[in-house]
Amino acid sequence: MKLYYCPWACSLAAHIALHEAGVPFENESVDIRTKITASGADFNGVTRKGYVPALALDNGEVVTENIAVLDYLAGVYPQLGVEGPLGRTRLVEALAYISTELHKSFKPYWHNGTDEQKAVASAYITARMRYLGDTIKGDYLFGEEPTVADFYLFVNTRWAERFGVEIPAAIAAIHERLNARPAVQATLKAEGLA
């Protein structure tokens, strides 16, 4: 497999998941503005969507969209998912919540929003994180081991730190536990973020 990523982007979650799974994979950074990969290739040749993550599988297929990539990885590497009859459903539910309620709410910070837009976004993000904090089932969102949903949440808590958005204590505790994991440290180093 080959993961196309961009530092500070949501592709960090898939990058962490691959390290956490301990499987061999390739990775290549992408300049999202120019659509050029680190090797000088046109990223539009990988996906016409032009954004990360993109996961090129060994059979030549490419999976895009963060939720789909993370769901795929949890399916192939069950230790990254949630067990039980509703495990996959609960995992997709969490991924969708993080994507639609947290991730998209950072838009004013990434796209030169006004101070008022940022203040509204900050309050909204904190409230949505507080909801997640109230649902934690152990050291991580679903128990004693992290899942791909935790890795996606970690991306959002890193953004919150970067932009000064308040992180509720329960979510901050998950962030700190994740930040201490070897796979997370290896990924941050690989992306030049540590």
Side-chain angles (χ1 to χ4, degrees), residues 62-100:
V62 176
V63 180
T64 62
E65 301 300 330
N66 204 34
I67 293 173
V69 170
L70 294 172
D71 177 60
Y72 173 80
L73 292 173
V76 174
Y77 308 107
Q79 69 270 31
L80 303 176
V82 179
E83 293 181 351
L86 282 177
R88 182 174 182 196
T89 300
R90 294 299 181 209
L91 185 65
V92 171
E93 181 180 47
L95 292 171
Y97 183 86
I98 293 166
S99 181
T100 61

Side-chain angles (χ1 to χ4, degrees), residues 38-75:
S39 66
D42 180 358
F43 184 57
N44 289 314
V46 176
T47 174
R48 290 184 357 202
K49 291 177 179 176
Y51 54 81
V52 295
L55 184 64
L57 306 180
D58 292 341
N59 66 5
E61 298 232 22
V62 176
V63 180
T64 62
E65 301 300 330
N66 204 34
I67 293 173
V69 170
L70 294 172
D71 177 60
Y72 173 80
L73 292 173

